[in-house]
Amino acid sequence: MKEVILVKYGEMALKGLNKGSFEDVLFKQIKYRLRPLGRFAYSAAQSTIYIEPEEDTIRMEEVISRLQKVFGIASICRACVCEKDFADIQAKAIDYLRETLEDADTFKVEAKRADKTFPMKSPEICRELGGALCEAFPELGVDVHEPEVTVMVDIRDTNAYVYAGKLKGAGGLPLGCSGKAMLLLSGGIDSPVAGYMMAKRGVKCSCIHFVSPPYTSDRARMKVEQLCEKMTDYCGDMKFYCVPFTEIQEELKRRCPEEYFTILMRRLMMIIAQEIAKKDECLALVTGESVGQVASQTMQAMVCTDAVCKVPVFRPCVDLDKTEIIEIARKIDTFDISIQPYEDCCTVFTPRHPKIRPQLELIEAAQEKGHFEDMIQRAVDGTEVKTFRVVR
Ligand code: ATP
Ligand code: MG
């Protein structure tokens, strides 16, 4: 039986946004992700995108799985394609929905008639099909208020569609419709989750990662690249910038008080990240920080890091408990990569007694002690970039 997929994006998400461009971005994202799976025919009406596979070899499970990672989609339905003829609709409904209806106690039918020339009106379709289904499945009762299954009939220009039940979409807004930001990606659990959360709000991310060879290994960098690649499932294509940070960390160690080490390092990361963000047309920075999670993530510490930032810093994990972050990390499949035990440049030079509530003036004075200007430029110039793609 021929099937079509109905992708619904819900009118609510469109409030205050330009509907036309929202649809364009969503369409582009969907087509880009499904292209490797085969040829599809696309059409749209009433906040729904209709995706019809044009090749028999297309695996619908894979199509659904990819669609469930596209932001901007509220729900996904698999429907059966029927002739615009009631007898065909009835026969296919019984056949296509057999398993669902045999498992259910109650149902109702809803009909939508975009093609007003169809000879039966919606209430008549509901009545007739409802009767036929009751006959075909004698155990099944009708409940118009709280049915277990709602059978939908959708009469459109060229065909009619029958379906029941829907899968949850990824929600949020289509990638790219809210601009671009630079994610500071470490090898930890939190920053990939932060990137996912921004992507959900339609923000396209580039990633920046700081390495300190020989204190950090190639393997540690590969782990972060692996994370970046995994994140493309939800976040789409992403640039990955790898910044050589050794010289700066050694200078910090040489000249600045150890207790300020983490906070100064974070400020220097932010300075470099902004330089690269500007070149990449990113309007904001994103980190995986969460208030109070570790000593360097107090509000006072964030005040000190943000003091070097001229662009907004988004911290979408800020109010989440670690367990909540882990739950999301598992959902987006980054958790198992994150927990691989490789050293990060932050852990290599961790001070024994970090300043938990640093004062901005003292931090600024400490930073003056190092000669960072040229080093920052060298780090920016020495940055390597590669692109990870969702379609591999
Ligand atoms: P994560 O799980 O994201 O590593 P964390 O709890 O380990 O976070 P920190 O190590 O204090 O926290 O880092 C805080 C944030 O700083 C990270 O979420 C990330 O955004 C950024 N960060 C830390 N180390 C790096 C790095 N080597 N490269 C890029 N960004 C980093
Ligand atoms: Mg970390």
Side-chain angles (χ1 to χ4, degrees), residues 198-215:
M198 293 310 295
K200 188 169 180 190
R201 297 313 302 158
V203 176
K204 187 147 179 50
C205 287
S206 290
C207 298
I208 186 166
H209 177 64
F210 295 83
V211 291
S212 294
Y215 307 104

Side-chain angles (χ1 to χ4, degrees), residues 185-191 266 293-294 297 322 344-347:
L185 183 64
S186 68
I189 297 166
D190 309 331
S191 40
R266 192 83 77 232
Q293 197 186 82
V294 290
Q297 297 181 16
K322 195 75 187 183
D344 180 69
C345 69
C346 298
T347 44

